[in-house]
Amino acid sequence: MKSSTLMQQPVYLQSEREQFLDDVLTGLNAERKTLNPKYFYDATGSELFAQITALPEYYITRTETSLMRAIARQIGEHCGAARAIVEFGSGSGERSDILLSTLPGVVRYIPIDVSEELLASTARVVESSYPHITVSTLVADFTAQLQLPSGTPDHRLGYFPGSTIGNFLPTEAVSFLQSARKLLGANSKMLIGVDLAKAVDKLERAYDDSAGVTGRFNKNVLVRINEELGADFDLRNFAHQAFFDRRRSRVEMHLVSLTDQRVSIDGTHKVAFRAGETIHTENSHKYTVDGFRQLARSAGWRSTTDWVDDDRLFSIHLLESD
Ligand code: AVJ
């Protein structure tokens, strides 16, 4: 996420490919190499992530879904006034069904995602199950400056499931929540899924599964750079790595260079890797219930209610604005 609003370039000045190339070169020329996790998600990456959600080790999605089902009635009681739902990073759009079926007052559903195809299929599914709901899809990176479509009714409920907020640094999460509060306006609420800190071995297994799907997901960003930016990464020369950093309370994913090597990108750019050097590809921050409440409050939300599953793996936070 951009740290400065003033200096942010209007997105229309750069094509998507140029933006991708720019981000990749900046990230790989840095002292500590990084790539933004949002670049995992082309069609292949989204499909690999869908496979991750079904892995025995990856407890997050199934825990959140069953918690949502368990608390649906209570969400209905707290959010009964909601007229519009704005979903940040809707992805395959399956989760929204639980919410829509418990909130009969909702007449507008606004899923935001970078994938036009996923949005189109989400719109079809929602419109056919809920004929009284108007679906307005927003093809956008939800960390960008957003504007809601005109006619979006008041009493908006933001929905940010999946613990995707964990990909942000805590400071970025605060600015995201501030922007979301401004976007949603007065009398709005926000429902956020947050993965909790837990035993290290459980966390590390969730991000380094025995079937190797998370490794393929991680390496998919290199596949994309090869295919879309004309690079020559040899996937066999990189290894998937995931570990929990206790101090920062986050799982980090990296791609470790297995040899000294040089990679060429877009014909003219060369990037050198030392054996053992890594590309940091993702952070997944793990919160405590109280830690997340405080973070939300520092972004100007009232943290009113939250729910945790019986195994205390995952929390869902309801935030309210005045
Ligand atoms: C979709 C960002 C919530 O951080 O757990 C899954 C992505 N990365 N396995 C997460 C992911 C590795 C996922 N989020």
Side-chain angles (χ1 to χ4, degrees):
M1 190 150 81
K2 297 267 165 54
S3 55
S4 158
T5 320
L6 285 174
M7 298 300 289
Q8 193 166 329
Q9 291 213 13
V11 279
Y12 53 78
L13 286 184
Q14 254 186 342
S15 73
E16 256 170 69
R17 183 187 187 275
E18 281 172 311
Q19 178 73 61
F20 185 25
L21 178 60
D22 214 65
D23 286 351
V24 165
L25 293 176
T26 305
L28 296 185
N29 285 314
E31 183 70 45
R32 313 174 85 117
K33 294 178 168 61
T34 60
L35 290 170
N36 190 315
K38 73 182 180 190
Y39 291 119
F40 289 139
Y41 301 94
D42 65 345
T44 307
S46 298
E47 169 53 31
L48 285 167
F49 179 67
Q51 288 178 30
I52 287 174
T53 65
L55 292 169
E57 295 98 332
Y58 195 77
Y59 58 87
I60 294 185
T61 313
R62 75 177 68 89
T63 306
E64 180 176 36
T65 304
S66 73
L67 182 57
M68 280 294 286
R69 291 213 175 91
I71 65 171
R73 188 193 293 269
Q74 293 174 65
I75 292 176
E77 284 160 11
H78 282 91
C79 305
R83 308 275 290 150
I85 291 175
V86 178
E87 183 170 356
F88 299 92
S90 51
S92 60
E94 284 152 6
R95 289 165 293 215
S96 40
D97 193 57
I98 304 173
L99 214 47
L100 294 173
S101 63
T102 51
L103 298 172
V106 170
V107 293
R108 185 71 89 97
Y109 174 55
I110 304 165
I112 306 169
D113 204 273
V114 282
S115 164
E116 211 169 337
E117 297 81 60
L118 286 179
L119 283 172
S121 88
T122 300
R124 267 197 307 277
V125 171
V126 170
E127 274 166 347
S128 70
S129 334
Y130 304 90
H132 64 287
I133 295 181
T134 305
V135 180
S136 310
T137 60
L138 219 58
V139 186
D141 172 350
F142 59 76
T143 62
Q145 285 249 20
L146 301 167
Q147 239 192 321
L148 294 182
S150 63
T152 304
D154 249 13
H155 293 281
R156 298 155 182 171
L157 174 65
Y159 185 40
F160 196 25
S163 198
T164 303
I165 195 155
N167 279 176
F168 298 145
L169 299 173
T171 51
E172 294 171 333
V174 170
S175 16
F176 171 79
L177 290 175
Q178 284 169 333
S179 312
R181 190 167 52 80
K182 288 181 187 120
L183 181 78
L184 296 169
N187 298 315
S188 61
K189 295 190 196 322
M190 183 108 183
L191 203 56
I192 308 191
V194 179
D195 194 28
L196 297 174
K198 58 183 63 65
V200 173
D201 60 322
K202 184 163 180 86
L203 283 170
E204 292 185 341
R205 271 186 277 121
Y207 290 84
D208 194 4
D209 63 281
S210 56
V213 182
T214 309
R216 287 207 291 285
F217 174 72
N218 197 4
K219 288 187 185 184
N220 185 54
V221 70
L222 302 185
V223 176
R224 282 195 68 187
I225 295 171
N226 281 349
E227 288 172 358
E228 296 175 38
L229 303 177
D232 60 359
F233 278 100
D234 185 340
L235 267 52
R236 294 165 302 184
N237 291 341
F238 288 87
H240 169 67
Q241 183 188 47
F243 59 86
F244 186 63
D245 178 335
R246 275 177 192 279
R247 194 173 66 80
R248 299 189 177 91
S249 196
R250 69 190 191 193
V251 175
E252 294 192 6
M253 290 209 313
H254 292 253
L255 289 163
V256 188
S257 176
L258 297 174
T259 56
D260 289 335
Q261 55 184 319
R262 276 159 72 83
V263 173
S264 114
I265 301 171
D266 199 31
T268 50
H269 307 278
K270 298 270 183 294
V271 179
F273 292 86
R274 285 171 280 105
E277 186 179 7
T278 77
I279 309 171
H280 185 180
T281 50
E282 185 177 58
N283 292 317
S284 280
H285 289 83
K286 307 303 170 186
Y287 289 93
T288 60
V289 170
D290 204 55
F292 193 80
R293 285 179 190 150
Q294 287 180 35
L295 183 138
R297 286 179 185 140
S298 73
W301 288 92
R302 283 188 292 125
S303 167
T304 56
T305 315
D306 32 62
W307 297 271
V308 174
D309 64 290
D310 291 343
D311 299 323
R312 300 200 67 82
L313 300 175
F314 197 89
S315 60
I316 294 174
H317 293 252
L318 180 62
L319 312 179
E320 305 189 27
S321 87
D322 302 299

